Amino acid sequence: MATNPKPGLPLAKLRAENYISREFAQGENEHLWGKVWLVAGRVEELKEVGDFLTFNVANESIVVARSKDGLVAYHNVCPHRGRRLADGCGRSSQFRCKYHGWTFNLEGKNTQVLDRHDWEGALDDERLDLWPVRVDTWAGFIWICMDPDGESLAEYLETIPEYLDPFELEEMRFRWKVELHLPVNWKVALEAFMEGYHVAATHPQLIKVAGNDYTQSYAQGKHAHFGYWKDVQPLGTSSPRLAGNVYSDAREGVIEFFRQIEEDLNAIQTDRDFEAAKKIMDVLPPDVDAMTAMGTAIELGRQAAIEDGTNYPERLTFEALAKAGSDWHIFPNCVTLPYFDGALWYRARPDSLDPSNPDKCVFEIWSLKRYGPGKEPKIETRLITDPVNESVGLILDQDIANMTEVQAGMKSSKFAYARPNPVQEMEIINFHKTLERYVLGQSRG
């Protein structure tokens, strides 16, 4: 039997066509990707003059490089016959078209047209330089925007820096990177990480040690976040959904929490945190309460970070941590879960080889960690094209397993729209309201 929603919480209806319609995907390509700020990479990837990376989204390709004056970005296309100039990442003092040799320096200026005299001066009034793209940085990420007249990155991010700057994400470095090519819409992939409502059913092992798994979520302009703000329980204790605490010894519950996050996720908290947490068995008595056990584990992790040559961020107090919550959706295509010592970052986008196909996407997962000077590892992106047979880790495998079933289920003749939870899935509701304003000119409401 249908029930009325609580007062003030009207039923949100997210149309299936937002996920499965080729027309909607084409609308995103035309009206979304070229109008927003997008993460192209990390500043650490472009350390030296000449370092470059390419970022492809929908029908566009952008090359970002470090010139002698700082970061620059251009549309990755030769004005002669349209060939893309760069691919992947590397280091070069110039961009030379491999088709006919037209060449451009790091400032985007055309420096060579082979046999230019053949045009007999007809090229003199033509624009032969690369088309610039706006580029900026925040939190250690390189951001690009193809709209020359759009808002600044600071304006676009709205209140996000207020909440996330204390984490000092710019001080973190890649721990590992995974790129998955999935047969699902980019939003289906991203939304698997935009709410905590799924944890009890998808990750039942987590609710034994993750405290109260009930979340609340809030819109923050075009962005949104969720957290565990109601009836807070210490990590290391069991969810109220269970009959009682699985671990009678609070120390064991805390250590098991860190073990699961380290071994089954390998992100957010770090290997350093896990090793430090194990020490509470030696420094705390068996009858210690869970709050003290978790607080001690965090402090031991901070001490381990200092010994390793890095620091926990000074502004990230427990009050700032609580204010930020656990998870942020950064419109349109990124999600992050930050912590003292590390962070998890997701980026989703259409597959640029078939950008109007709503059943294909590229989904990237980045684990970040604070490292002492010179201790960060050299990272290669792990490419996964068969997620059924290639594991990312237990927790992420559980999330990925839902995606193809969701994409298939949305094509049912009986599925007209999704009905997201108005308390715990506001990130998704706000996402589609904002997305529809870009793609359709107005939210469907």
Side-chain angles (χ1 to χ4, degrees), residues 11-72:
L11 179 64
K13 300 179 180 180
L14 308 183
R15 303 282 185 89
E17 62 196 69
N18 287 17
Y19 303 90
I20 63 175
S21 162
R22 181 173 287 269
E23 289 71 27
F24 194 87
Q26 291 171 340
E28 292 173 341
N29 295 344
E30 294 174 15
H31 305 297
L32 174 69
W33 301 111
K35 299 295 184 181
V36 295
W37 282 92
L38 299 166
V39 169
R42 290 280 294 175
V43 175
E44 66 199 77
E45 296 179 270
L46 305 181
K47 296 178 181 179
E48 306 292 336
V49 172
D51 286 350
F52 72 88
L53 61 82
T54 55
F55 171 67
N56 300 332
V57 60
N59 296 305
E60 301 289 351
S61 181
I62 308 300
V63 58
V64 186
R66 183 169 292 281
S67 73
K68 65 180 186 299
D69 296 322
L71 294 174
V72 292

Side-chain angles (χ1 to χ4, degrees), residues 284-299:
L284 295 176
D287 60 350
V288 69
D289 64 276
M291 185 68 75
T292 301
M294 176 53 67
T296 302
I298 293 173
E299 172 57 22

Side-chain angles (χ1 to χ4, degrees), residues 343-404:
L344 190 54
W345 191 279
Y346 302 100
R347 180 175 70 173
R349 51 198 160 128
D351 189 327
S352 61
L353 296 179
D354 195 2
S356 294
N357 188 337
D359 294 332
K360 289 184 178 181
C361 79
V362 175
F363 186 65
E364 291 154 291
I365 309 172
W366 299 338
S367 178
L368 305 175
K369 177 185 172 181
R370 301 173 73 89
Y371 288 95
K375 293 185 178 181
E376 62 269 22
K378 184 177 181 181
I379 299 300
E380 298 291 337
T381 300
R382 179 186 171 197
L383 179 63
I384 294 179
T385 57
D386 183 12
V388 174
N389 295 307
E390 297 181 68
S391 174
V392 188
L394 174 61
I395 293 175
L396 293 169
D397 289 349
Q398 290 170 326
D399 290 311
I400 293 167
N402 287 326
M403 296 176 185
T404 53

Side-chain angles (χ1 to χ4, degrees), residues 16-224:
E17 62 196 69
N18 287 17
Y19 303 90
I20 63 175
S21 162
R22 181 173 287 269
E23 289 71 27
F24 194 87
Q26 291 171 340
E28 292 173 341
N29 295 344
E30 294 174 15
H31 305 297
L32 174 69
W33 301 111
K35 299 295 184 181
V36 295
W37 282 92
L38 299 166
V39 169
R42 290 280 294 175
V43 175
E44 66 199 77
E45 296 179 270
L46 305 181
K47 296 178 181 179
E48 306 292 336
V49 172
D51 286 350
F52 72 88
L53 61 82
T54 55
F55 171 67
N56 300 332
V57 60
N59 296 305
E60 301 289 351
S61 181
I62 308 300
V63 58
V64 186
R66 183 169 292 281
S67 73
K68 65 180 186 299
D69 296 322
L71 294 174
V72 292
Y74 308 103
H75 285 275
N76 184 22
V77 59
C78 180
H80 173 219
R81 294 273 298 278
R83 192 192 194 282
R84 289 184 174 176
L85 297 168
D87 182 54
C89 58
R91 181 178 297 170
S92 178
S93 61
Q94 61 186 10
F95 299 112
R96 184 175 185 274
C97 181
K98 295 180 180 179
Y99 197 1
H100 298 93
W102 284 32
T103 305
F104 309 84
N105 63 22
L106 294 178
E107 285 67 47
K109 300 295 182 182
N110 180 290
T111 59
Q112 181 181 10
V113 173
L114 188 67
D115 297 333
R116 182 167 182 154
H117 56 79
D118 288 352
W119 278 266
E120 297 183 349
L123 289 180
D124 292 351
D125 295 327
E126 285 290 305
R127 179 190 175 86
L128 302 184
D129 298 335
L130 300 182
W131 286 98
V133 172
R134 296 162 69 201
V135 62
D136 205 341
T137 62
W138 172 74
F141 293 94
I142 301 168
W143 300 73
I144 60 95
C145 181
M146 291 175 267
D147 183 356
D149 302 316
E151 59 193 331
S152 68
L153 176 60
E155 292 169 326
Y156 183 83
L157 291 173
E158 300 174 325
T159 63
I160 288 178
E162 173 189 340
Y163 289 87
L164 295 187
D165 277 355
F167 290 89
E168 296 181 356
L169 296 174
E170 67 277 6
E171 298 298 325
M172 299 182 187
R173 299 293 181 265
F174 284 120
R175 186 180 181 190
W176 53 262
K177 297 192 290 182
V178 170
E179 178 181 308
L180 299 105
H181 290 241
L182 300 171
V184 304
N185 189 265
W186 67 274
K187 297 181 290 297
V188 166
L190 195 68
E191 288 172 13
F193 307 96
M194 287 172 60
E195 41 83 8
Y197 184 48
H198 73 281
V199 170
T202 299
H203 311 296
Q205 77 281 2
L206 279 176
I207 67 171
K208 297 177 182 179
V209 291
N212 190 348
D213 61 294
Y214 184 85
T215 62
Q216 294 169 292
S217 56
Y218 299 95
Q220 297 285 349
K222 65 177 73 70
H223 317 289

